[in-house]
Amino acid sequence: MRTITTTEDLAAFCRRAQAAPYVTVDTEFMRERTYYAKLCLLQLAIPGEDGAEAGDAVLVDPIEGDLSLDPLYTLFRDESTVKVFHAARQDLEIFYVDAGVIPAPLFDTQVAAMVCGFGEQVGYETLVKKVAKASLDKTSRFTDWSRRPLSEAQKAYALADVTHLRVIYEALSARLAETGRDRWVAEEIAALTDPATYELRPEDAWQRIRTRNDQPRFLAIVRELARFREAYAQRRDVPRNRVYKDDALLEIASSKPRDSKDLSRLRLLLREARKGEIAEGILAAVEAGLNCPEEDLPRPGRGRDKAQPNPALADLLRVLLKAKSDQADVASKLIASAADLDAIAAGARDVPALSGWRREVFGADALRLCEGEVALAAKGRQVQVIELGAG
């Protein structure tokens, strides 16, 4: 097991990778005590002339070594080499935040596996067993990757994340080419390569908070509190829950504190948040929400009132989705979510399930079902789509 700790050695490996058809990539990181993920280890592997398992694989240690990742980013920009990840989103966020770079072209084996019928959110270990016909040593799964030195067991565990990935990539890409579904995966990966996916805007943070209270003024306070928390967490590089948790945020929005005395009465707010910059930010956010002009208040409730789903139709769409996903051997959640089905049943037509490859597999018949042009019938264990005659 070779560990790279210098920029020169990383550049040499990346030059070799640029001559290869693909490179498999994985990271180990920590973010329990920070807002942004801290890269602790990078794993890279390329195939050899005699097959996927005969290539080279290395560990890159940004903690113990004194190196720049610029050679890696040069590799990521080289479109002659496919960059292969499994469940790439968090890995890509690290590179985008660090250097504004998103690897291209990109292949995500988790997405490909879902398209190829391996089920919902299939894990790497499952693919190693089913595709690479190997097993993983799990003993180092829960480990502190920021501590040095790394043990041989840790290194072996980390390296396995990219060595087996070579076999998995070659098998899945071959299957996609045979079935003509490679463009399906390309559509899914387009979202992963969109910079907007990794731009965490404080003004949008409130949309992640779950609340049953949809009163516009309340939501305006929630929006300002979430905006302040996100901006503070980013600036100080601390987890947002270390500033205050969602339940405390909702308590603040409900009680509308106007001074430090009001803050001291809150039950869920951490002691550290009742003074200093955080306390000042909370009070300013509450005031901004209370003084928000009427026309700028968030009103998500109005959209929901206009688009109440037909429960019976939503149930029929669920049956259709199950039938279509089984028929196509594609994970149903990749085609449409429960929220998508409810939206379609409520009359929405700007739903992802109604465009692209999803329309071919499910969306076209879903629309016909909504229009009363087809019905569903059970025949044995199968559900069939039955054409309805005019009149």
Side-chain angles (χ1 to χ4, degrees), residues 110-111 114-115 118-122 188 318 321-322 324-326 329-341 351-353 357-358 361-362:
Q110 185 177 71
V111 173
M114 293 172 73
V115 168
F118 283 88
E120 315 284 357
Q121 302 295 320
V122 60
E188 298 306 300
R318 285 172 173 78
L321 175 62
K322 179 66 168 60
K324 291 293 186 177
S325 64
D326 288 347
D329 197 20
V330 179
S332 62
K333 286 185 180 179
L334 189 62
I335 300 173
S337 66
D340 289 338
L341 299 181
V351 179
W357 68 267
R358 292 176 174 85
V361 175
F362 166 76

Side-chain angles (χ1 to χ4, degrees), residues 53 127-134 164 167-168:
E53 296 179 338
L127 291 181
V128 169
K129 288 181 179 178
K130 291 186 176 181
V131 179
K133 309 300 181 184
H164 297 307
V167 179
I168 294 167

Side-chain angles (χ1 to χ4, degrees), residues 11-206:
F13 182 87
C14 288
R15 284 193 295 270
R16 291 184 58 206
Q18 286 177 268
Y22 68 86
V23 56
T24 55
V25 188
D26 190 41
T27 67
E28 307 297 342
F29 58 86
M30 302 288 288
R31 72 183 317 164
E32 285 79 2
R33 295 183 293 273
T34 58
Y35 181 90
Y36 298 105
K38 178 184 179 183
L39 180 63
C40 298
L41 194 67
L42 176 70
Q43 305 98 277
L44 302 167
I46 54 177
E49 294 182 359
D50 298 327
E53 296 179 338
D56 191 12
V58 297
L59 303 173
V60 181
D61 192 337
I63 293 179
E64 194 167 73
D66 180 18
L67 55 80
S68 165
L69 293 181
D70 285 347
L72 177 72
Y73 297 141
T74 299
L75 169 62
F76 282 175
R77 294 185 184 99
D78 187 341
E79 296 196 1
S80 65
T81 302
V82 178
K83 272 62 73 171
V84 182
F85 292 76
H86 180 83
R89 194 187 188 287
Q90 288 187 300
D91 299 318
L92 299 185
E93 182 184 338
I94 293 173
F95 304 128
Y96 184 76
V97 168
D98 182 54
V101 174
I102 296 177
L106 178 73
F107 189 97
D108 190 319
T109 55
Q110 185 177 71
V111 173
M114 293 172 73
V115 168
C116 290
F118 283 88
E120 315 284 357
Q121 302 295 320
V122 60
Y124 181 65
E125 183 181 353
T126 299
L127 291 181
V128 169
K129 288 181 179 178
K130 291 186 176 181
V131 179
K133 309 300 181 184
S135 59
L136 294 176
D137 181 357
K138 305 177 187 177
T139 55
S140 297
R141 173 173 294 179
F142 302 106
T143 188
D144 184 349
W145 291 102
S146 65
R147 297 186 64 180
R148 294 296 183 270
L150 295 174
S151 68
E152 293 303 304
Q154 285 176 306
K155 293 179 181 180
Y157 173 87
L159 211 58
D161 283 345
V162 288
T163 52
H164 297 307
L165 194 56
R166 296 177 297 198
V167 179
I168 294 167
Y169 165 68
E170 293 191 0
L172 291 179
S173 59
R175 186 180 301 191
L176 290 170
E178 290 172 5
T179 59
R181 295 183 178 182
D182 41 2
R183 68 178 179 84
W184 296 13
V185 173
E187 284 185 33
E188 298 306 300
I189 287 177
L192 285 173
T193 57
D194 183 355
T197 303
Y198 310 101
E199 292 172 355
L200 305 172
R201 292 156 43 94
E203 55 266 37
D204 297 332
W206 71 281

